[in-house]
């Protein structure tokens, strides 16, 4: 049997032939895919012909199809259904794939051709998308170092290699320190406030470490632990908070302080090599933000009101405590939860019977999309996903024309990583005539046999969010693969998904899906009103802890290569004080030594992205409100001007087209109560 990745699948929408894929096909296709693409690149680069769009950009965009096919299927499986085999392949091929990407992007002859085209781009009679393609390739190759001399490239490769070692070590240390610091509880009475399920999970965790009869509270990545909102013993909360905050600073093998310093310094050095003053300047140059100044401007506008709001919330909490003691960071969540119940009387758990998964999907998520965009969904039981839990839906336009496949993988399982996400298995583009297949993954616990799945409030929100990414992929109408669907800037990609969350509580949508699973009664109006009223409660704290982390990220990546930073804690304290986010009761969401996003997970100088795209999101939500909400006309406008263009248009331009002006920050300030 031939390797299924060598040719495009002949199934509808080129759905991969999952049943025919054997383990050995992956490595074989990775090897051949990389070799094929290098040969294709070599043919372009060594051509004796004068560079043209047709003989350079088009074959570049056509190159690497086998690699593309195997990567899409493999990495989807590695996230959603991994095993020892996929983990071994991932470990073996990650450095190979990184080296392959460098071999393409640091190819001097190829870069020369792109540079020539870039110089002529306005005079070649190119269509707008084609011209933008040349610009994007030129920028990306330049930022990757393609324009450097051979000796500079050697330095760059060394820096990249050293950085990959250090960032991997950071992650390894953090994991080890988190495990070391898990809090052992001797007496179950000390866990007062936790649910029976949480207590048995703690007992189980202790058991698995040979601590029979005890309880273990394992740490989570952010500073705040979920149990802090319910544990009634103050000293237990304090122990957890102290453990969380001491990650990476205790000396010994797992100390991350030297790594933070060296990673920041080497990134600055690399930025200098590439012609930028700082790493933050290097990163933001190729984001919609454009510069660290633009990021600083936004964060600087938000920080003072956020800090003020946090102080006001703090006063409420202190009033509840009285004179007994002064509110500490480990008390915040606990008293905040009490104030929330007092003030708003919200019990999110009471909502679950109204969120039956199938109704949420069909009468909520799909319903809103049909109202907005006219699209319809048909389940295809004849088509097979990559796991028995995966459901396959065919999506059609209002005129009946096919749009693509939507795969939903709702349930949690041991082989699936945590969180929720959207993936693409193939991406629409006219050049290769490819259709679209998108997937959504969540981690909803599977109900018992014969029982219905009831979602939590947050899970419903997540489904609407991930479906927003799916629509972004499904609606793409681009010519070149590079621009398909969600291939947009990192500080833009969350915008469409954040916008789609707005339909969850939109009255017409909510009434259509939120029906009691047993009685069939609609969700009581007062329940919805309580939720809405409580939505901005606690935003002072949430915004402050997020901004503090985002500012730390920017600060570490704004130091110069010869900066004399030697004390991580002092540096952190200085940064937070300089912007007024140094309230000890509101620690940053991540401190430097456990800030995995930016020291090992690719969000370096980019943690600001979440709030950056939320500016666009809030302004777009305001636009829908101003223009009549859930209508076909509004949906079509958003689809054609924002979602459908994928990455083929400058995002600022796309947004201006849609909104009639640049984004306004006010709706975000209103939403988060930052006025
Ligand atoms: Zn998202």
């Amino acid at each position: 049997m031939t390797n299924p990745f060598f040719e495009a699948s002949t199934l509808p929408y080129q759905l991969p032939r999952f049943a025919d894929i054997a383990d050995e096909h992956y490595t074989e296709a990775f090897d051949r895919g990389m070799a094929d693409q290098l040969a294709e690149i070599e043919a372009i680069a060594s051509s004796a012909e004068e560079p043209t769009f047709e003989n350079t950009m088009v074959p570049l965009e056509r190159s690497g199809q086998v690699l593309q096919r195997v990567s899409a299927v493999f990495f989807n499986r590695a996230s959603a259904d991994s095993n020892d085999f996929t983990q071994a392949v991932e470990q073996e091929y990650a450095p190979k794939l990184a080296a392959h990407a460098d071999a393409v992007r640091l190819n001097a002859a190829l870069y020369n051709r792109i540079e020539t085209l870039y110089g002529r781009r306005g005079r070649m009679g190119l269509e707008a998308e084609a011209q933008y393609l040349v610009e994007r390739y030129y920028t990306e190759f330049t930022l990757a170092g393609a324009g450097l001399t051979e000796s500079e490239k050697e330095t760059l490769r060394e820096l990249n290699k050293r950085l990959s070692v250090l960032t991997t070590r950071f992650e390894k240390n953090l994991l080890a320190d988190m495990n070391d610091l898990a809090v052992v509880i001797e007496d179950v009475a000390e866990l007062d406030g936790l649910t029976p399920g949480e207590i048995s999970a703690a007992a189980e965790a202790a058991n698995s470490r040979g601590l029979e009869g005890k309880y273990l509270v394992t740490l989570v990545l952010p500073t705040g632990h979920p149990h802090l909102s319910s544990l009634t013993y103050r000293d237990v909360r304090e122990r957890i908070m102290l453990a969380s905050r001491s990650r990476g600073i205790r000396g010994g093998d797992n100390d991350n302080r030297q790594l933070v310093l060296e990673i920041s310094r080497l990134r600055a050095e690399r930025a200098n090599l590439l012609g930028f003053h700082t790493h933050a300047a290097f990163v933001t140059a190729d984001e919609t933000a454009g510069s660290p100044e633009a990021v600083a401007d936004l964060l600087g506008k938000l920080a003072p009101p956020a800090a003020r709001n946090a102080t006001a919330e703090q006063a409420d909490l202190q009033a509840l405590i009285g004179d007994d003691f002064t509110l500490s960071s480990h008390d915040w969540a606990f008293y905040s939860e009490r104030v929330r119940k007092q003030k708003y009387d919200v019990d999110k758990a009471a909502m679950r019977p109204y969120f039956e998964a199938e109704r949420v999907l069909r009468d909520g998520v799909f319903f809103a999309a049909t109202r907005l965009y006219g699209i319809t969904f048909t389940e295809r039981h004849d088509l097979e996903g990559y796991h028995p839990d995966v459901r396959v839906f065919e999506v059609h336009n209002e005129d009946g024309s096919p749009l693509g496949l939507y795969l939903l993988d709702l349930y949690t399982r041991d082989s699936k990583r945590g969180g929720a996400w959207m993936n693409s298995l193939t991406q629409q583009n006219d050049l290769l005539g490819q259709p679209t297949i998108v997937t959504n993954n969540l981690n909803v616990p599977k109900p018992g046999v014969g029982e219905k799945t009831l979602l939590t409030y947050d899970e419903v929100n997540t489904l609407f969010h991930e479906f927003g990414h799916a629509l972004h992929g499904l609606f793409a109408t681009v010519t070149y693969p590079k621009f398909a669907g969600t291939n947009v800037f990192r500080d833009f990609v969350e915008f469409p998904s954040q916008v789609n969350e707005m339909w969850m509580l939109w009255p017409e949508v909510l009434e259509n899906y939120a029906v009691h699973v047993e009685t069939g009664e609609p969700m009581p109006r007062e329940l919805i009103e309580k939720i809405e009223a409580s939505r901005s409660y606690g935003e002072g704290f949430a915004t402050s802890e997020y901004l503090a982390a985002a500012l730390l990220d920017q600060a570490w990546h704004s130091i110069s290569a010869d900066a004399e930073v030697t004390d991580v804690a002092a540096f952190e304290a200085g940064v937070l004080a300089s912007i007024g986010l140094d309230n000890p009761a509101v620690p940053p969401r991540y401190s430097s030594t456990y800030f995995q996003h930016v020291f090992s997970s690719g969000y370096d100088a980019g943690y600001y992205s979440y709030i950056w795209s939320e500016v666009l999101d809030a302004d777009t939500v305001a636009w829908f409100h101003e223009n009549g909400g859930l209508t076909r006309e509004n949906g079509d406008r958003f689809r054609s001007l924002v979602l459908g263009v994928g990455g083929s248009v400058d995002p600022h331009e796309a947004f201006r087209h849609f909104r009639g002006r640049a984004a306004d920050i006010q709706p975000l300030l209103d939403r988060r109560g930052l006025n």
Side-chain angles (χ1 to χ4, degrees), residues 173-242:
N173 288 353
L174 175 55
L175 186 63
D177 222 27
M178 272 174 78
N179 287 333
D180 276 5
L181 280 161
V183 178
V184 182
I185 306 286
E186 306 279 339
D187 182 355
V188 69
E190 293 189 294
L191 294 178
D192 183 49
L194 298 190
T195 66
E198 288 165 340
I199 291 172
S200 68
E204 190 51 46
N207 257 335
S208 73
R209 291 213 195 163
L211 300 167
E212 281 85 8
K214 296 183 183 173
Y215 303 86
L216 194 72
V217 177
T218 53
L219 300 180
V220 297
L221 210 47
T223 300
H225 193 283
H227 290 351
L228 295 180
S229 62
S230 45
L231 284 166
T232 60
Y233 283 101
R234 191 163 185 244
D235 59 323
V236 179
R237 296 199 301 265
E238 185 174 18
R239 285 173 64 196
I240 294 173
M241 178 57 85
L242 283 177

Side-chain angles (χ1 to χ4, degrees), residues 465-466 469 494 497:
H465 175 98
E466 296 308 330
H469 287 304
E494 291 302 320
S497 50

Side-chain angles (χ1 to χ4, degrees), residues 420-422 462 465-466 468-469 493-498 501 603 610:
W421 65 93
M422 170 268 190
T462 301
H465 175 98
E466 296 308 330
H469 287 304
V493 73
E494 291 302 320
F495 158 51
S497 50
Q498 288 170 342
E501 292 174 30
Y603 264 74
Y610 297 97

Side-chain angles (χ1 to χ4, degrees), residues 534-569:
S534 73
R535 268 173 117 189
S536 67
Y537 174 73
E539 285 291 339
F541 179 90
T543 309
S544 294
E545 66 150 15
Y546 166 78
L547 290 174
L551 282 154
L552 277 180
D553 170 33
Q554 289 296 306
W556 279 116
H557 297 114
S558 299
I559 63 169
S560 63
D562 51 10
E564 297 284 325
V565 186
T566 53
D567 184 336
V568 171

Side-chain angles (χ1 to χ4, degrees), residues 111-351:
Y111 180 65
N112 286 341
R113 295 179 75 86
I114 294 171
E115 196 176 19
T116 303
L117 294 174
Y118 179 76
R120 295 178 190 158
R121 68 192 186 283
R123 307 191 298 277
M124 295 192 294
L126 296 176
E127 287 183 10
E129 187 181 336
Q131 184 170 322
Y132 191 56
L133 185 74
V134 174
E135 291 167 0
R136 289 302 308 146
Y137 265 107
Y138 175 70
T139 304
E140 285 179 15
F141 274 54
T142 304
L143 289 174
L148 300 178
T149 65
E150 264 321 306
S151 85
E152 288 169 332
K153 278 184 193 169
E154 205 32 56
T155 310
L156 179 68
R157 283 189 198 101
E158 283 306 312
L159 280 169
N160 283 341
K161 210 165 96 188
R162 178 77 185 145
L163 276 165
S164 85
V165 170
L166 296 177
T167 52
T168 308
R169 191 175 299 160
F170 181 98
E171 188 165 358
K172 190 182 117 309
N173 288 353
L174 175 55
L175 186 63
D177 222 27
M178 272 174 78
N179 287 333
D180 276 5
L181 280 161
V183 178
V184 182
I185 306 286
E186 306 279 339
D187 182 355
V188 69
E190 293 189 294
L191 294 178
D192 183 49
L194 298 190
T195 66
E198 288 165 340
I199 291 172
S200 68
E204 190 51 46
N207 257 335
S208 73
R209 291 213 195 163
L211 300 167
E212 281 85 8
K214 296 183 183 173
Y215 303 86
L216 194 72
V217 177
T218 53
L219 300 180
V220 297
L221 210 47
T223 300
H225 193 283
H227 290 351
L228 295 180
S229 62
S230 45
L231 284 166
T232 60
Y233 283 101
R234 191 163 185 244
D235 59 323
V236 179
R237 296 199 301 265
E238 185 174 18
R239 285 173 64 196
I240 294 173
M241 178 57 85
L242 283 177
S244 172
R245 299 209 66 195
S246 52
R247 285 173 289 176
I249 57 168
R250 297 184 301 150
D253 287 349
N254 299 333
D255 196 306
N256 271 341
R257 284 174 294 186
Q258 286 310 313
L259 292 176
V260 165
L261 296 172
E262 191 178 352
I263 290 170
S264 310
R265 197 176 51 71
L266 291 182
R267 282 174 175 166
E269 213 172 289
R270 184 175 60 184
N272 291 164
L273 185 65
L274 293 163
F276 293 88
H277 288 304
T278 65
H279 184 64
F282 162 67
V283 169
T284 50
D286 204 33
E287 295 289 345
T288 72
S291 71
E293 290 75 23
V295 175
D297 183 51
L298 175 66
L299 301 182
K301 271 184 194 141
L302 304 175
R308 270 202 309 276
N309 289 359
T311 307
E313 289 167 10
Q314 191 170 2
D316 278 355
L317 305 182
Q318 190 65 57
L320 191 67
I321 294 167
D323 299 333
D324 290 357
F325 55 86
T326 305
L327 177 89
S328 244
S329 61
H330 51 268
D331 301 314
W332 194 293
F334 183 76
Y335 290 97
S336 172
E337 214 31 53
R338 286 186 157 191
V339 172
R340 188 201 303 273
K341 277 186 190 134
Q342 266 182 14
K343 266 193 169 170
Y344 303 104
D345 185 28
V346 171
D347 181 7
K348 281 188 175 177
M351 302 181 88

